[in-house]
Amino acid sequence: MHELKKILIFSVFIVGIFFSTVIYASLYTREGGLVYDDVSKITWTSNANLFQYLANSSENNNGFIKQLFDANNGIIYGLGKNTFLDNHTLSLSDFNLTTGMLNWYGAQAFIGYLNSINYAGYNDWRLPTTLPTFGGYSKGGSEFGQLYYMELGGKPAQQLASVHNDNYYLFNGIQGFPYWTSTIYDSDFTYAWYFGFGSNGVQAFTSKNAFLNVWAVRTGDITTIPIHIPTWLFGFILLGLMRFAGLFRPLRLVIA
């Protein structure tokens, strides 16, 4: 029993060291460039400027916008109360490949594209949501707000690049301009809510024709969570456990 106790203690120590490199508070890195938030129960892409990255990658630099058109059959349907009236025919003017910014319809088209290619193995990507009843410097029921204020340590009216905690480095490409949410402004379906993620932590609404950034998210964690330990590291751990428990003795050369 004493030997078993030593093995258990050592195992916990080793596992703690290993997982400390991949777990940050309530944020967990996942394969495929993803980060899971176990408070909001959603998965973010680690690249907060994925649209521009994919648009300018070598395999997509020819006809990328056409791929977005095709993925959505050229039309974006509004998601608010006036869905039937809010139909938008996509055009090149919905996208800015230079800045990586899009209007709300372009952002929805990008989400449709990610789902059409089964990005990172999933086809349920969406824009983040927020409660459509509150604006200002607060998380206010916003998935962006939860990440900004609670997970990354952002402060009101301050640049996130300047004020943040270590979780900030789980992501790349965070932009200074605001990001679109999928939430429609109730009083006017031509407006939608946004969040000043990289700039100031404020939530507000603007015309869907404004150009902002896009960040994809999906509900839930990835289906399987693989744990990869290099073979050499596993061998050292195993030998260490055996040695610690007195189950392994170094070989001694016996000369007759």
Side-chain angles (χ1 to χ4, degrees):
M1 182 62 68
H2 180 66
E3 302 301 329
L4 178 60
K5 183 177 180 180
K6 288 196 294 183
I7 292 177
L8 291 175
I9 293 174
F10 189 71
S11 298
V12 170
F13 174 73
I14 291 295
V15 171
I17 291 177
F18 176 72
F19 278 102
S20 67
T21 64
V22 296
I23 298 178
Y24 302 81
S26 59
L27 299 180
Y28 298 75
T29 57
R30 297 295 189 238
E31 287 190 338
L34 307 177
V35 177
Y36 177 63
D37 184 340
D38 72 352
V39 174
S40 297
K41 307 301 181 185
I42 57 178
T43 298
W44 301 84
T45 62
S46 61
N47 189 338
N49 195 22
L50 185 62
F51 168 74
Q52 189 174 37
Y53 173 79
L54 292 179
N56 291 283
S57 63
S58 58
E59 61 269 25
N60 286 325
N61 56 12
N62 292 319
F64 180 67
I65 297 302
K66 184 181 184 303
Q67 295 177 54
L68 270 65
F69 287 1
D70 294 344
N72 297 277
N73 295 317
I75 298 177
I76 298 297
Y77 296 92
L79 305 178
K81 298 177 181 178
N82 298 286
T83 300
F84 179 75
L85 298 176
D86 189 18
N87 297 339
H88 178 86
T89 300
L90 292 170
S91 70
L92 291 175
S93 62
D94 296 322
F95 312 90
N96 189 322
L97 297 181
T98 301
T99 65
M101 299 173 72
L102 319 85
N103 63 25
W104 188 85
Y105 302 104
Q108 292 288 1
F110 178 61
I111 295 298
Y113 166 76
L114 293 181
N115 290 328
S116 74
I117 65 172
N118 212 40
Y119 181 76
Y122 296 93
N123 61 1
D124 55 357
W125 295 100
R126 58 177 175 80
L127 293 178
T129 61
T130 187
L131 292 178
T133 56
F134 182 83
Y137 297 106
S138 171
K139 66 177 183 178
S142 166
E143 291 173 335
F144 270 129
Q146 173 68 30
L147 182 64
Y148 180 91
Y149 286 107
M150 307 305 294
E151 317 301 350
L152 302 188
K155 301 297 180 184
Q158 297 190 45
Q159 293 284 330
L160 186 61
S162 301
V163 180
H164 55 255
N165 57 32
D166 287 345
N167 292 342
Y168 177 81
Y169 301 104
L170 293 177
F171 303 96
N172 61 82
I174 294 177
Q175 301 298 294
F177 282 93
Y179 284 83
W180 285 115
T181 77
S182 64
T183 307
I184 307 299
Y185 180 54
D186 280 344
S187 299
D188 188 339
F189 71 88
T190 65
Y191 285 72
W193 289 87
Y194 67 83
F195 192 91
F197 194 85
S199 52
N200 53 20
V202 69
Q203 179 173 291
F205 56 87
T206 188
S207 168
K208 290 179 178 177
N209 290 317
F211 273 67
L212 304 178
N213 293 293
V214 58
W215 197 344
V217 68
R218 61 175 300 272
T219 301
D221 199 354
I222 64 176
T223 303
T224 58
I225 306 173
I227 299 175
H228 296 295
I229 302 179
T231 304
W232 62 266
L233 178 58
F234 180 80
F236 274 118
I237 293 174
L238 181 60
L239 289 175
L241 288 172
M242 295 173 65
R243 178 62 174 163
F244 188 80
L247 302 177
F248 172 78
R249 296 287 187 272
L251 296 177
R252 294 183 180 180
L253 180 63
V254 178
I255 299 177

